[in-house]
């Protein structure tokens, strides 16, 4: 739910008419990013506030009966196609390149799946946002995926590799944040749960170091003017399953506030 910060930033981009040629989303960022190309300001905040207390959306009930903490049918399909309609037609018209990061758990490599049609390719969004232990492995075209943040949490180098000369990085952690290693007991549990996928286990064990190395690289690139970073000005205190609407609103509002504070600098970066 830290992704509500990203939703606030992207909605501010819409207000300020900040246009981009492509997006690579990871996990929750990938879930909320399509609303930028569909021009649906406020949608991510609206449906999350509406359903945050609904057991059909995210709950232990969903995990027990479906194997997914975030319910596949309700959270992805019903919300999108019934309760808060996603404007897929506008998305497809405006989409100049929408990608989601999804680790192939058999190879351990991050794959960047290009989405052209949200409705037809919904499983790609599930692949990047499926949380280990509380989500089923998502299979697409015979490949198995789980949690976009495991192999490439912040795909800034991939953006550069793809040829984007101006890169805006939206983070949901403040400047000083660094990840710590998983506890040994958790690593043992991971190794047991995913023993068929040694490359994935290796990524899980080393995720903290890969993340921290990327953050250091981002700090360096930011200082050199190679990229522009939008990050929260304060720590975001919100639960993975957040039931309080006011907490979701507060994270969203922080995204709006922090984005407005840097909008002038962002315009200068993009104009050079």
């Amino acid at each position: 739910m830290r992704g509500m910060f990203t939703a606030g930033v992207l909605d501010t981009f819409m207000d300020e008419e900040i246009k981009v040629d492509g997006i690579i989303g990871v996990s929750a960022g990938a879930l909320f990013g399509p609303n930028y190309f569909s021009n649906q300001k406020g949608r991510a905040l609206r449906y999350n506030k509406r359903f945050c207390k609904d057991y059909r959306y995210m709950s232990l009930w969903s995990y027990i009966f479906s194997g997914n903490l975030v319910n596949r049918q309700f959270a992805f399909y019903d919300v999108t196609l019934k309760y808060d309609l996603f404007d897929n037609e506008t998305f497809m018209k405006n989409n100049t390149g929408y990608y989601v990061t999804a680790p192939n758990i058999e190879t351990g490599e991050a794959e960047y799946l290009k989405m052209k049609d949200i409705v037809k390719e919904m499983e790609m969004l599930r692949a990047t946002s499926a949380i280990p232990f509380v989500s089923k492995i998502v299979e697409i075209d015979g490949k198995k995926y789980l949690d976009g943040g495991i192999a490439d949490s912040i795909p800034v180098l991939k953006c550069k590799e793809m040829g984007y000369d101006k890169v805006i990085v939206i983070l949901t952690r403040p400047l000083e944040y660094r990840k710590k290693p998983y506890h040994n007991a958790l690593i043992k549990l991971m190794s047991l749960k995913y023993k068929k996928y040694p490359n994935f286990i290796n990524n899980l064990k080393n995720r903290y170091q890969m993340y921290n190395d990327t953050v250091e690289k981002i700090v360096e690139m930011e200082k050199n003017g190679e990229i522009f970073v939008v990050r929260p000005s304060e720590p975001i205190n919100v639960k993975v399953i957040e039931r309080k609407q006011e907490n979701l609103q507060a994270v969203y509002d922080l995204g709006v506030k922090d984005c407005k504070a840097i909008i002038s600098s962002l315009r200068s970066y993009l104009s050079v």
Side-chain angles (χ1 to χ4, degrees):
M1 286 295 102
R2 290 196 317 274
M4 283 292 97
F5 179 86
T6 302
V9 172
L10 292 178
D11 281 359
T12 305
F13 281 4
M14 286 187 241
D15 281 344
E16 298 291 338
E17 297 186 345
I18 300 295
K19 305 295 183 182
V20 303
D21 299 319
I23 295 175
I24 303 182
V26 182
S27 195
L31 300 183
F32 303 150
N35 298 301
Y36 173 88
F37 279 142
S38 69
N39 289 332
Q40 290 179 282
K41 179 189 172 185
R43 180 175 177 270
L45 177 65
R46 183 172 62 242
Y47 72 73
N48 276 286
K49 288 178 67 176
R50 178 180 176 184
F51 297 114
C52 66
K53 298 180 181 180
D54 195 317
Y55 72 93
R56 299 171 297 173
Y57 190 55
M58 292 185 291
S59 67
L60 180 60
W61 177 91
S62 174
Y63 176 66
I64 291 172
F65 288 99
S66 75
N68 292 300
L69 187 71
V70 181
N71 191 269
R72 176 183 182 272
Q73 181 61 42
F74 186 85
F76 287 89
Y77 290 91
D78 291 350
V79 169
T80 301
L81 302 175
K82 180 179 179 181
Y83 294 108
D84 200 317
L85 295 179
F86 179 72
D87 189 347
N88 200 40
E89 183 177 343
T90 298
F91 171 85
M92 290 189 289
K93 181 178 68 175
N94 293 337
N95 180 9
T96 50
Y98 194 82
Y99 303 83
V100 299
T101 304
N104 184 317
I105 66 171
E106 294 178 312
T107 66
E109 298 295 323
E111 295 186 12
Y112 307 89
L113 311 178
K114 187 173 184 178
M115 299 192 71
K116 298 179 180 179
D117 185 318
I118 294 296
V119 174
K120 291 181 179 179
E121 298 169 329
M122 187 72 73
E123 293 302 292
M124 292 184 185
L125 294 181
R126 291 190 60 241
T128 188
S129 61
I131 307 170
F133 293 112
V134 292
S135 300
K136 289 183 177 180
I137 294 168
V138 179
E139 190 167 332
I140 301 173
D141 296 331
K143 296 182 179 181
K144 297 177 179 180
Y145 300 99
L146 194 64
D147 195 344
I150 296 298
D152 192 358
S153 298
I154 316 170
V156 59
L157 296 180
K158 183 62 179 182
C159 287
K160 287 290 189 179
E161 178 187 314
M162 293 172 70
Y164 293 110
D165 59 337
K166 299 285 184 176
V167 176
I168 305 168
V169 182
I170 303 175
L171 303 178
T172 60
R173 298 286 196 181
L175 177 61
E176 64 276 8
Y177 176 80
R178 299 295 184 274
K179 284 189 180 297
K180 296 179 180 180
Y182 289 126
H183 192 278
N184 286 337
L186 184 58
I187 291 177
K188 290 180 180 179
L189 188 60
M190 291 175 180
S191 300
L192 181 63
K193 172 75 173 179
Y194 300 108
K195 59 184 178 181
K196 294 181 180 179
Y197 311 106
N199 292 319
F200 182 68
I201 293 171
N202 187 59
N203 281 344
L204 286 168
K205 290 178 180 178
N206 296 307
R207 184 189 182 190
Y208 79 98
Q209 192 62 58
M210 291 189 291
Y211 177 91
N212 293 344
D213 289 346
T214 301
V215 170
E216 294 298 336
K217 184 64 177 178
I218 285 172
V219 170
E220 178 186 346
M221 295 172 74
E222 184 181 17
K223 287 180 179 178
N224 295 334
E226 298 176 59
I227 61 175
F228 190 94
V229 182
V230 185
R231 57 169 64 86
S233 57
E234 60 190 70
I236 295 174
N237 297 312
V238 68
K239 298 177 181 177
V240 174
I241 300 180
E242 182 57 67
R243 301 299 189 192
K244 295 183 179 180
Q245 294 180 346
E246 61 269 26
N247 290 349
L248 296 177
Q249 183 71 56
V251 177
Y252 175 89
D253 290 344
L254 180 64
V256 172
K257 178 178 75 74
D258 287 347
C259 187
K260 286 183 176 179
I262 53 82
I263 206 71
S264 178
S265 298
L266 175 58
R267 292 190 191 280
S268 297
Y269 167 77
L270 294 174
S271 66
V272 176

